[in-house]
C-alpha cells in the first residue's frame, strides 16, 4: 500500500478555499501603488526631471547621468516609504523567467567605519555589474571576460516586491552584445516604430511615432500541492512523464467557461489584487478546455511594458499558488491526452495620433492605410515564416504544437472571408482600375447593420497559428512558459524590415513619376500575389494541410534543434543586421544557448523517467506479479491441477503481460542510457541537441507507453504515483 499517494489524495480532497484579505477599496484606488509610475513620479520628482524622463519614455531620447541622479533620489524616497530596504536590477537572461541580485541601501556615509545611511545613487540606478558568469551567453563571454552589465530601462517602471525595489534593466556583455531578451526587443520596437512612421507619412504626414501593442493571454494549470509533491516527474520536470489518461478528462467539454472552482476563484482574486497593485490591468479570467486549466489576460499595452508585466504576473502567480495549496504549472504540456497551454500574443501597431494600423477605417484613404499594413504583415510573415516558428519553439512547446489542440508547427495566416475578399479584389484589379478605391471605401457596406467587431469576432479559425482578429493579429503558437519577447522580437523585426522594403519600392515608383496612391496599389497588388502561400483559411490540423504547406514551400520542420537554424540563415542575419536588432555573432551565440537548454531539458526528463521506471514502477509491478504467482500456487494447493490451471488462467496471462512490459521498460531504459552517453560525448552544442532529439527523446514515449499499460494492470492500491484522475480534478 502506498502511503504517500493516498495521504496526498486525502489531503487534497479535504482542502477548502483559502480566504483572501482584499481591502474594501475599489481596484482603481490601489491600482499601481507598488509601481514607480507617472503618478508616483509626479510626487517624488521635480517637474523638470519628470519631463525629461517622460520625453525619454515617449520619444526615446537619451537620459543623461545627471538625470539618473535625480530619479534615483526620488525613487529611493518612495521605495523607503514603501518599506523597501533593498534594490535589484531585474533582468531577463536567456534562460526562462527573470533574474535579480539584491543589494541593501545600507552604506557608510563617509567611508568605512563611519555613520550608516541609506544610499541609492544615479550610478546604482543606471548600471550594475552582476556576476554574470552563471548566465548562459553562448560563448560571447569567455571565462576571462565574464563581465556583463545591466542597464536601466526607464520605459518600464520600477516596482517593489516585498522589501525590494526592482528596476527593469537590459543585460549586455562587456563588449556590448545582448545577453538577454529586453535589449533586442527594445531595438526591434524602435525599428518597427521608425519604419512604420515612414510608411504612415505617405498617408498622414503628422504621424511621429508608432507603438507596438501586445495583449497576451496566459494559460496555466493548477494542481494540488500535496499531489504535486507525490509526483517526482512533475516536481522535477514540470510535466508528467507517465500517467494513463483518466476515464473522464475533457470529452464532455464541460470545463471551458464552466463555473470556476471556489479554491481557484480565491487564487484568482488574490492574483488580480496583487496585479492591480503592480499596475497590471487584468481583465479576463476563465476556465480553459482541459480540467484544471485556466486563463487570464490583461488589457493590451505597449509591448515592452506588456512583456515585463507578463513576466511579473508569472512570478506573482507562482508565489501566490502555494498560499492556496496549489502548484502552478506553466509547462506547455503537463499532461498527455489533455490540451496544453499557450500564450496567445495579440499584436497590433498604433500611431501617436490614435490610428490603429490594423483597424479597418471608414474612408477609402483610411482603408488603404489599413490594407497597406495588413499586406506588409502578410509579406513579412511569409518571407520569415520559418524564423517566426523558430521564435516560439522550445523543448516544451514542441509537445503542444501540432497536437490537434494547438496550431500546427507550420506558420500560416488566417484572414477571414471579408478581408480575403478585399485582397482578392485588389489582386484582380488592373492598374487603371478605379474600382479598388471604391471597394476600399465600401469595405464594410455589405453588412452595415451589424457592428464590424461582431463580424470579426465570430469569423474565427481556432486552428490558425497567426490569425487576423478584427483589429490585431493573434500569434497563437507562443508557449505558456515563454518570454513573449522572443516572438515579439521576431515579429516586430520582420515587420520593420518589410516596411523599409515597401517604402523603398514606393519611393522608386513615385520617383519615376507614379502617383503615390497608384504606387501603393501597384506594390500591394504584387505583394498579394507573392505572399499568397502564407494565407490559409482551412483546417490547420488536417493531414492534407501538412502536405499542401510543403507544396507551398512553407517551413514544415518539426525538430526543435533544427528549427533554430532559421536564426542564422542568411536571410535572417541580413534582416536582423539591416535594422540593427541582432548581429551575426549574437544570433549564433543565442542559438548555442537554445541548443544547450534543449539538451538539458531532455537530459533531465530522460534521467527522471529512467529513475522512476526502475525505482517506482518496476518494483510495484513485480510485487503485484508475485502476488498473482502466489495466488496460482495457492490454487494448486487447494484444487486439482486441471481445475487450478483453469481458475488461474487470467492470472497467468497477466503475469506474462507484466513480465513483457517490465522487460520492455528495462531494455528501453538501458538503451536510453546508452544513447545519452553517446550524445554526451559530443562537444558541439548543436550536434548534441540533435542527438538528444533524434536518439534520446524517442525513448521517452516508448517507455511511457509500457509504464501506462502497467498502471492499468497493477492493483490500484499498490500504485505509488497519484493518477491523472486524482491530479486533474479540483473540487
Ligand atoms: P480571445 O480569448 O477571444 O482571443 P480575450 O479577450 O481573451 O479574447 O483576449 C484578447 C486579448 O487581445 C486581450 O489581451 C486584449 O487586451 C487584446 N487586444 C485587444 N485589442 C488589441 C489590439 N488592438 N492590440 C493588441 N492587443 C489587443
Ligand atoms: Mg485569443
Amino acid at each position: 500500500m502506498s502511503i504517500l499517494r493516498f495521504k496526498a489524495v486525502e489531503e487534497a480532497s479535504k482542502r477548502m478555499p483559502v480566504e483572501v484579505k482584499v481591502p474594501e477599496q475599489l481596484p482603481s484606488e490601489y491600482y499601481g501603488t507598488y509601481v514607480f509610475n507617472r503618478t508616483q513620479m509626479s510626487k517624488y520628482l521635480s517637474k523638470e526631471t519628470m519631463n525629461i524622463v517622460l520625453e525619454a519614455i515617449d520619444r526615446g531620447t537619451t537620459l543623461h547621468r545627471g538625470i539618473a541622479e535625480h530619479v534615483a533620489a526620488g525613487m529611493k524616497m518612495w521605495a523607503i516609504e514603501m518599506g523597501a530596504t533593498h534594490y535589484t536590477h531585474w533582468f531577463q537572461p536567456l534562460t526562462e523567467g527573470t533574474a535579480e541580485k539584491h543589494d541593501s541601501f545600507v552604506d557608510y556615509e563617509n567611508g568605512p567605519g563611519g555613520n550608516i545611511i541609506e544610499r541609492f545613487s544615479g550610478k546604482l540606478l543606471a548600471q550594475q555589474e552582476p556576476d554574470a558568469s552563471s548566465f548562459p551567453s553562448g560563448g560571447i563571454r569567455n571565462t576571462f571576460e565574464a563581465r556583463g552589465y545591466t542597464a536601466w530601462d526607464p520605459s518600464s517602471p520600477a516596482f517593489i516586491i516585498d522589501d525590494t525595489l526592482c528596476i527593469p534593466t537590459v543585460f549586455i556583455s562587456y563588449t556590448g552584445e545582448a545577453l538577454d531578451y529586453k535589449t533586442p526587443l527594445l531595438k526591434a520596437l524602435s525599428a518597427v516604430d521608425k519604419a512604420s512612421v515612414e510608411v504612415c507619412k505617405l498617408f498622414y504626414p503628422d504621424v511621429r511615432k508608432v507603438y507596438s501593442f501586445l495583449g497576451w493571454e496566459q494559460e496555466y494549470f493548477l494542481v494540488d500541492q500535496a499531489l504535486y509533491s507525490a509526483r517526482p516527474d512533475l516536481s522535477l520536470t514540470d510535466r508528467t512523464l507517465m500517467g494513463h489518461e483518466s476515464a473522464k478528462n475533457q470529452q464532455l467539454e464541460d470545463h471551458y467557461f464552466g463555473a470556476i472552482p471556489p479554491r481557484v476563484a480565491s487564487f484568482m482574486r488574490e492574483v488580480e489584487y496583487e496585479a492591480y497593485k503592480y499596475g497590471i490591468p487584468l481583465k479576463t479570467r476563465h476556465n480553459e478546455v482541459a480540467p484544471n486549466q485556466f486563463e487570464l489576460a490583461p488589457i493590451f499595452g505597449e509591448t515592452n511594458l506588456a512583456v515585463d508585466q507578463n513576466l511579473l504576473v508569472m512570478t506573482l502567480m507562482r508565489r501566490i499558488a502555494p498560499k492556496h495549496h496549489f502548484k502552478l504549472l506553466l509547462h506547455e504540456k503537463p499532461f498527455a491526452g489533455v490540451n496544453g497551454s499557450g500564450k496567445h500574443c495579440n499584436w497590433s501597431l498604433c500611431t501617436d495620433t490614435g490610428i490603429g494600423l490594423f483597424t479597418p477605417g471608414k474612408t477609402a484613404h483610411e482603408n488603404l492605410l489599413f490594407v497597406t499594413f495588413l499586406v506588409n504583415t502578410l509579406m513579412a510573415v511569409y518571407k520569415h515564416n520559418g524564423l517566426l516558428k523558430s521564435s516560439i519553439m522550445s523543448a516544451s512547446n514542441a509537445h503542444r504544437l501540432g497536437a490537434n489542440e494547438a496550431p500546427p508547427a507550420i506558420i500560416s495566416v488566417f484572414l477571414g472571408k471579408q478581408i480575403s475578399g478585399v485582397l482578392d479584389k485588389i489582386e484582380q484589379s488592373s492598374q487603371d482600375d478605379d474600382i479598388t478605391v471604391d471597394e476600399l471605401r465600401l469595405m464594410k457596406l455589405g453588412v452595415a447593420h451589424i457592428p464590424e467587431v461582431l463580424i470579426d469576432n465570430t469569423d474565427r479559425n481556432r486552428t490558425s497559428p497567426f490569425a487576423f482578429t478584427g483589429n490585431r493579429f493573434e500569434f497563437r503558437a507562443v508557449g505558456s512558459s515563454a518570454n513573449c519577447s522572443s516572438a515579439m522580437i521576431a515579429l516586430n523585426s520582420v515587420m520593420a524590415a518589410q516596411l523599409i522594403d515597401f517604402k523603398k519600392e514606393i519611393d522608386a515608383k513615385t520617383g519615376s513619376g507614379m502617383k503615390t496612391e497608384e504606387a501603393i496599389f501597384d506594390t500591394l497588388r504584387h505583394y498579394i500575389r507573392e505572399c499568397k502561400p502564407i494565407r490559409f483559411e482551412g483546417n490547420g490540423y488536417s493531414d492534407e494541410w501538412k502536405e499542401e504547406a510543403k507544396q507551398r514551400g512553407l517551413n514544415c520542420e518539426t525538430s526543435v534543434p533544427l528549427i533554430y537554424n532559421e536564426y542564422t540563415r542568411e536571410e535572417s542575419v541580413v534582416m536582423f543586421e539591416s535594422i540593427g536588432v541582432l548581429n551575426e555573432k549574437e544570433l549564433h551565440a543565442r542559438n548555442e544557448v537554445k541548443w544547450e537548454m534543449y539538451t538539458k531539458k531532455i537530459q533531465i526528463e530522460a534521467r527522471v523517467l529512467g529513475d522512476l521506471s526502475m525505482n517506482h514502477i518496476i518494483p510495484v509491478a513485480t510485487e503485484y506479479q508475485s502476488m498473482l504467482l502466489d495466488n496460482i500456487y495457492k490454487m494448486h494447493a487447494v484444487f486439482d491441477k486441471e481445475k487450478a490451471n483453469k481458475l488461474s488462467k487470467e492470472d497467468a496471462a497477466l503475469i506474462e503481460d507484466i513480465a513483457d512490459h517490465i522487460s520492455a521498460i528495462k531494455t528501453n531504459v538501458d538503451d536510453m542510457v546508452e544513447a545519452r552517453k553517446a550524445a554526451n560525448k559530443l562537444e558541439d552544442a548543436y550536434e548534441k541537441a540533435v542527438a538528444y532529439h533524434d536518439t534520446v527523446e524517442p525513448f521517452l514515449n516508448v517507455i511511457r507507453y509500457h509504464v501506462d499499460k502497467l498502471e492499468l494492470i497493477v492493483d490500484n492500491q499498490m500504485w505509488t504515483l497519484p493518477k491523472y484522475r486524482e491530479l486533474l480534478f479540483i473540487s
Side-chain angles (χ1 to χ4, degrees):
M1 163 86 73
S2 164
I3 309 290
L4 187 57
R5 172 177 157 217
F6 289 102
K7 251 179 86 177
V9 171
E10 197 190 352
E11 211 180 319
S13 70
K14 285 189 182 148
R15 302 258 200 234
M16 297 299 285
V18 174
E19 232 182 279
V20 185
K21 285 190 199 71
V22 176
E24 282 185 10
Q25 294 160 298
L26 291 169
S28 60
E29 293 174 72
Y30 55 84
Y31 189 80
T33 42
Y34 280 59
V35 186
F36 198 60
N37 56 17
R38 287 172 196 231
T39 316
Q40 306 300 343
M41 275 194 230
S42 68
K43 288 186 212 153
Y44 291 88
L45 302 183
S46 71
K47 222 182 180 143
E48 195 195 345
T49 306
M50 167 116 179
N51 285 341
I52 296 174
V53 174
L54 292 185
E55 178 82 4
I57 296 172
D58 296 335
R59 300 254 168 252
T61 50
T62 313
L63 276 183
H64 293 292
R65 271 295 160 84
I67 288 300
E69 207 62 62
H70 291 299
V71 177
M75 216 185 253
K76 184 186 89 178
M77 204 189 295
W78 169 71
I80 287 175
E81 277 176 29
M82 293 290 292
T85 52
H86 287 63
Y87 66 92
T88 181
H89 278 197
W90 184 78
F91 58 101
Q92 303 166 25
L94 294 172
T95 47
E96 282 147 29
T98 55
E100 47 202 80
K101 171 186 160 244
H102 298 192
D103 281 307
S104 82
F105 290 126
V106 164
D107 202 0
Y108 287 120
E109 187 173 16
N110 302 308
N115 267 350
I116 288 283
I117 57 159
E118 272 77 30
R119 194 192 302 278
F120 184 55
S121 65
K123 186 166 170 288
L124 294 176
L125 164 66
Q127 187 176 319
Q128 255 195 343
E129 200 179 326
D131 175 17
S133 53
S134 49
F135 294 107
S137 71
I140 277 181
R141 286 171 289 108
N142 60 36
T143 31
F144 305 106
E145 208 45 272
R147 278 192 284 179
Y149 290 114
T150 51
W152 176 39
D153 167 20
S155 61
S156 183
F159 53 89
I160 290 174
I161 291 192
D162 298 335
D163 57 2
T164 305
L165 170 67
C166 302
I167 300 150
T169 58
V170 296
F171 180 38
I172 51 175
S173 78
Y174 180 60
T175 39
E177 284 96 1
L179 298 175
D180 68 345
Y181 282 112
K182 194 188 259 285
T183 310
L185 178 67
L186 290 173
K187 289 177 176 173
L189 295 176
S190 161
V192 85
D193 165 19
K194 287 203 187 86
S196 303
V197 166
E198 288 308 308
V199 173
C200 284
K201 279 186 172 156
L202 297 169
F203 299 82
Y204 301 99
D206 59 331
V207 170
R208 286 180 65 202
K209 189 171 167 77
V210 168
Y211 294 95
S212 163
F213 284 140
L214 166 64
W216 43 263
E217 301 163 50
Q218 178 74 55
E219 291 180 342
Y220 60 96
F221 278 87
L222 290 171
V223 283
D224 189 274
Q225 213 173 19
L227 295 167
Y228 172 89
S229 303
R231 289 285 308 222
D233 51 350
L234 263 185
S235 314
L236 296 170
T237 71
D238 254 4
R239 78 173 177 112
T240 53
L241 298 172
M242 51 181 67
H244 200 280
E245 258 179 62
S246 163
K248 174 185 186 290
N249 51 39
Q250 64 188 48
Q251 306 95 322
L252 300 178
E253 295 183 348
D254 49 358
H255 193 250
Y256 193 59
F257 284 159
I260 297 172
R263 278 183 69 195
V264 179
S266 180
F267 162 79
M268 287 174 168
R269 248 193 309 280
E270 190 165 352
V271 170
E272 282 165 5
Y273 168 59
E274 288 294 322
Y276 292 152
K277 289 202 304 200
Y278 289 98
I280 302 168
L282 291 189
K283 183 85 174 165
T284 319
R285 60 174 184 213
H286 59 81
N287 291 352
E288 262 301 330
V289 177
N292 286 35
Q293 193 188 25
F294 309 93
E295 178 185 302
L296 56 77
I299 302 171
F300 65 95
E302 191 278 319
T303 297
N304 176 41
L305 190 59
V307 166
D308 286 0
Q309 292 186 336
N310 178 244
L311 290 165
L312 187 50
V313 160
M314 292 198 282
T315 304
L316 293 175
M317 288 164 81
R318 238 183 243 117
R319 286 164 55 108
I320 292 167
K323 291 198 205 167
H324 298 260
H325 309 289
F326 284 131
K327 189 73 198 179
L328 173 77
L329 301 179
L330 291 175
H331 192 286
E332 281 77 1
K333 191 76 181 176
F335 304 98
V338 293
N339 277 13
S341 301
K343 177 151 50 200
H344 295 178
C345 283
N346 293 270
W347 169 77
S348 68
L349 297 169
C350 183
T351 68
D352 59 344
T353 54
I355 305 168
L357 296 170
F358 297 132
T359 309
K362 291 187 184 63
T363 65
H365 192 62
E366 286 169 6
N367 279 332
L368 185 56
L369 176 66
F370 160 70
V371 174
T372 297
F373 274 84
L374 185 91
V375 172
N376 273 293
T377 308
L378 291 178
M379 273 298 272
V381 175
Y382 173 54
K383 284 192 204 157
H384 297 283
N385 69 86
L387 177 70
L388 285 168
K389 182 164 68 183
S390 190
S391 77
I392 53 92
M393 260 304 179
S394 65
S396 50
N397 204 19
H399 292 288
R400 173 180 162 257
L401 298 178
N404 274 16
E405 42 149 306
I410 301 165
I411 302 292
S412 65
V413 185
F414 171 85
L415 291 177
K417 263 203 205 97
Q418 207 186 355
I419 304 290
S420 295
V422 173
L423 297 196
D424 291 345
K425 287 254 166 60
I426 296 176
E427 185 194 349
Q428 285 147 20
S429 67
S430 64
Q431 202 126 336
D432 36 31
D433 208 349
D434 270 351
I435 206 157
T436 46
V437 183
D438 276 346
E439 284 301 333
L440 284 175
R441 192 178 308 119
L442 300 177
M443 220 163 82
K444 292 178 299 171
L445 272 195
V447 274
H449 57 291
I450 304 174
E452 161 215 338
V453 173
L454 283 183
I455 301 162
D456 288 318
N457 272 347
T458 49
D459 190 6
R460 287 209 158 188
N461 179 335
R462 285 276 163 203
T463 72
S464 176
F466 199 92
F468 180 71
T469 47
N471 61 353
R472 61 190 186 269
F473 282 96
E474 189 169 336
F475 195 4
R476 301 198 183 118
V478 183
S480 49
S481 70
N483 182 326
C484 312
S485 300
S486 183
M488 287 298 114
I489 292 165
L491 186 53
N492 287 288
S493 293
V494 297
M495 186 62 174
Q498 173 56 38
L499 289 169
I500 291 170
D501 285 351
F502 173 77
K503 180 66 176 23
K504 271 189 205 142
E505 283 199 41
I506 302 303
D507 287 350
K509 284 177 186 163
T510 50
S512 54
M514 213 187 248
K515 278 206 215 107
T516 307
E517 195 164 278
E518 231 180 283
I520 293 172
F521 262 118
D522 190 53
T523 310
L524 291 183
R525 212 176 278 124
H526 285 118
Y527 281 2
I528 292 172
R529 235 164 261 155
E530 194 183 335
C531 69
K532 228 174 195 170
I534 200 70
R535 281 163 59 188
F536 180 62
E537 307 279 306
N539 176 7
Y541 297 167
S542 68
D543 288 332
E544 296 85 65
W545 169 232
K546 280 181 206 147
E547 261 319 299
E548 195 186 325
K550 224 177 276 164
Q551 310 271 317
R552 292 189 187 189
L554 299 179
N555 186 308
C556 297
E557 182 59 65
T558 56
S559 156
V560 179
L562 293 188
I563 284 170
Y564 292 149
N565 285 325
E566 286 296 311
Y567 273 104
T568 49
R569 279 178 63 191
E570 199 189 338
E571 294 90 326
S572 306
V573 175
V574 169
M575 185 278 298
F576 278 124
E577 289 199 334
S578 72
I579 51 171
V581 171
L582 286 163
N583 62 35
E584 192 166 5
K585 186 175 171 193
E586 289 171 313
L587 289 165
H588 279 285
R590 295 166 89 86
N591 267 359
E592 295 271 310
V593 175
K594 286 189 199 133
W595 286 318
E596 274 170 26
M597 291 220 310
Y598 179 83
T599 298
K600 280 184 194 152
K601 285 258 158 99
I602 306 296
Q603 197 173 45
I604 294 170
E605 289 188 352
R607 282 189 189 145
V608 172
L609 184 60
D611 287 356
L612 276 183
S613 304
M614 302 307 287
N615 304 331
H616 275 250
I617 307 305
I618 291 183
V620 170
T622 312
E623 197 186 331
Y624 182 58
Q625 194 184 33
S626 37
M627 257 176 65
L628 295 173
L629 280 165
D630 205 37
N631 196 31
I632 295 179
Y633 267 108
K634 285 172 184 160
M635 292 275 195
H636 279 275
V638 177
F639 301 107
D640 64 50
K641 191 175 174 194
E642 197 184 336
K643 187 152 192 192
N645 278 344
K646 195 174 159 212
L647 288 175
S648 57
K649 214 171 80 199
E650 266 78 37
D651 283 355
L654 277 182
I655 289 166
E656 278 189 46
D657 272 357
I658 293 173
D660 288 347
H661 289 304
I662 288 179
S663 148
I665 291 172
K666 276 189 177 151
T667 318
N668 280 295
V669 169
D670 286 347
D671 292 350
M672 180 169 71
V673 171
E674 286 312 311
R676 239 164 57 213
K677 278 189 192 153
N680 289 345
K681 286 205 185 92
L682 299 168
E683 293 281 327
D684 184 78
Y686 170 65
E687 282 174 20
K688 198 190 260 186
V690 171
Y692 263 89
H693 176 272
D694 294 353
T695 66
V696 179
E697 214 230 45
F699 283 112
L700 296 176
N701 278 337
V702 179
I703 296 167
R704 175 185 190 131
Y705 170 82
H706 294 287
V707 171
D708 290 356
K709 286 285 175 201
L710 284 177
E711 186 185 318
L712 289 183
I713 299 174
V714 171
D715 179 5
N716 181 49
Q717 294 293 315
M718 294 168 78
W719 199 253
T720 59
L721 303 173
K723 297 188 173 183
Y724 270 25
R725 63 165 184 264
E726 290 150 354
L727 286 166
L728 278 175
F729 293 95
I730 297 173
S731 50

